[in-house]
Amino acid sequence: MLLLMFACTGAQVDLDDTQSGADDTADTQSEAVWPQGLAELTEPSDGACPDLSASGTTTFSSSGQERTVTALIPAGVSAESQVVFFFHGLMGESETPEPTEYMASALDLQSVADAYDAIILLPESMTRTEFNTTFFLWDVEGTSDADLVLFDDLRSCVHQAHAPDMTRLSAVGFSGGALFTTIVASQRGDSLSTFVEMSGGANFDVALLSDATVAAYETPAWQMPALLWAGGENDAWPSPSFALVDFDAGTDVLEQELAADGHLTVRCDHDQGHTITQPEWASVIDWINGHQFGESSPFDGDLSALPSTCGRVE
C-alpha cells in the first residue's frame, strides 16, 4: 500500500510568558540533567514563540519573517515526551496551499503523537517562484541561515512550552524535506538523537535549480544513527525520464559520507519510486522512537525489527 505520492507541480507568546507544561521547576530540572555535548538552547530570533500549548497550526516571527508551524501535541505530554521535526517535500502552492496540514493528515500524525508520546513539529518552508510556478521548498542550497534559525527557534520554544526530553529529539524528512534534513544533520547534529531521510541524499548538482550544491553534506558536530530510505531507479524528480534529482543515487552518496564519518547508517530500499510506503513509514516510527542522544542505538547489530531490504552501511 502506498501512503503518499509526491506532488511536485497564530498567536505569539512572549519569551517570558509561561505556557502550558513549562514552569521554572521544569526548566531547572531540565538544565540540571543537560547531557554533555547536547547543544544549548538559543533565544528565539525575534523574541517570541508560537503557541505550542495544543495541536494546531500557527504563525510567528523568525528571522524577521512570518513562519508557519503545525504542531501535534500528545495527550498527557510530559517531561518524558520526545520531539520529532518533520520536514515536508516540495509542493505547489496552488495545489497544496497548506503543506504541513496536508502531511499531518496524510500520515495521521496526531495518532502517532498520541501512541508514541511524541510532540511532532511540522515547520513550513518559504515559497519560491521558478518557471512561472510558485512552490514550497526549503533552502536546500544553504544560501541563508533562516531555515536553520527556524529550527533553532522551534527547538527552544518547544522546550519552553512543555520541557520535554530534549535528548530524544529527531529529524525526519521526505523528498525536498529530506534534502533539508541533510543540512540540519550537518549543521545541527549536536541537537539530534537521530535522523531519517525518505528519498533524500546529499551533494546534488541541479543546474536548473541552482549553481550551488544542493543538500551539501558536512561532517556533523556529533555522531548519530541515521536511517535512509530510497525508492529505486524511479525515485527521481521531476520524473524518472527527466531526472534532475536522482534520490536513489543521492542516497548512495549520503550513506557513504555518513559511514566514512563513523555514524551508524542503515540503508533501506523499496521499488515503488518517489513515495512513502507503509513498511517504510512503520520502520521510521520504530527507528525514531528507539534513540536517545549520546546513547547506543538499539539497531546497532540487530536489524531484525526492520524490513528485510534494510542493511547496515559499512
Side-chain angles (χ1 to χ4, degrees):
M1 174 183 177
L2 302 186
L3 284 178
L4 180 72
M5 289 302 296
F6 178 64
C8 181
T9 48
Q12 292 185 345
V13 180
D14 290 339
L15 182 62
D16 293 333
D17 286 352
T18 300
Q19 296 187 30
S20 174
D23 55 31
D24 292 339
T25 301
D27 273 341
T28 300
Q29 292 173 342
S30 179
E31 290 170 4
V33 297
W34 205 259
Q36 183 177 5
L38 184 64
E40 296 295 330
L41 299 172
T42 59
E43 290 291 318
S45 58
D46 289 345
C49 285
D51 183 357
L52 300 177
S53 59
S55 296
T57 299
T58 188
T59 60
F60 76 116
S61 182
S62 175
S63 296
Q65 303 174 85
E66 183 176 83
R67 303 301 298 259
T68 298
V69 59
T70 295
L72 293 313
I73 309 299
V77 64
S78 71
E80 284 72 48
S81 298
Q82 63 180 305
V83 179
V84 180
F85 278 77
F86 189 103
F87 298 107
H88 64 78
L90 184 154
M91 296 186 191
E93 185 180 43
S94 59
E95 297 87 358
T96 314
E98 297 174 336
T100 58
E101 292 188 358
Y102 171 79
M103 293 303 302
S105 175
L107 296 174
D108 194 15
L109 292 183
Q110 184 63 63
S111 294
V112 175
D114 292 336
Y116 292 89
D117 191 19
I119 300 171
I120 304 177
L121 301 177
L122 296 93
E124 182 181 283
S125 75
M126 303 294 287
T127 60
R128 62 176 79 179
T129 301
E130 301 284 351
F131 317 116
N132 297 318
T133 301
T134 300
F135 50 89
F136 293 95
L137 181 63
W138 297 98
D139 179 19
V140 293
E141 304 95 335
T143 56
S144 79
D145 64 355
D147 285 345
L148 286 171
V149 171
L150 175 64
F151 170 81
D152 295 338
D153 287 349
L154 289 172
R155 178 174 177 258
S156 296
C157 289
V158 75
H159 178 267
Q160 177 183 312
H162 297 290
D165 187 349
M166 301 301 288
T167 68
R168 299 180 66 214
L169 186 150
S170 56
V172 179
F174 171 60
S175 189
L179 302 187
F180 181 62
T181 300
T182 296
I183 296 175
V184 173
S186 295
Q187 304 298 329
R188 298 295 189 269
D190 52 358
S191 298
L192 303 176
S193 59
T194 185
F195 73 96
V196 177
E197 295 193 15
M198 298 175 286
S199 296
N203 300 343
F204 294 88
D205 179 11
V206 189
L208 289 181
L209 187 63
S210 173
D211 293 333
T213 299
V214 170
Y217 174 84
E218 295 182 17
T219 300
W222 191 265
Q223 287 195 348
M224 76 209 95
L227 178 66
L228 309 178
W229 273 92
E233 63 182 11
N234 291 324
D235 194 355
W237 176 85
S239 70
S241 60
F242 184 54
L244 294 178
V245 179
D246 183 335
F247 293 98
D248 191 61
T251 302
D252 291 344
V253 172
L254 179 57
E255 70 173 41
Q256 292 304 318
E257 293 277 13
L258 289 167
D261 279 343
H263 302 268
L264 170 64
T265 306
V266 173
R267 165 72 177 267
C268 307
D269 293 279
H270 60 77
D271 62 357
Q272 303 300 310
H274 200 60
T275 188
I276 301 173
T277 68
Q278 187 78 40
E280 177 181 12
W281 181 236
S283 74
V284 169
I285 294 172
D286 288 342
W287 180 274
I288 60 177
N289 194 52
H291 289 97
Q292 188 166 11
F293 185 90
E295 301 294 330
S296 60
S297 171
F299 296 92
D300 191 0
D302 182 8
L303 302 182
S304 60
L306 297 175
S308 60
T309 61
C310 297
R312 179 167 180 163
V313 181
E314 301 295 345

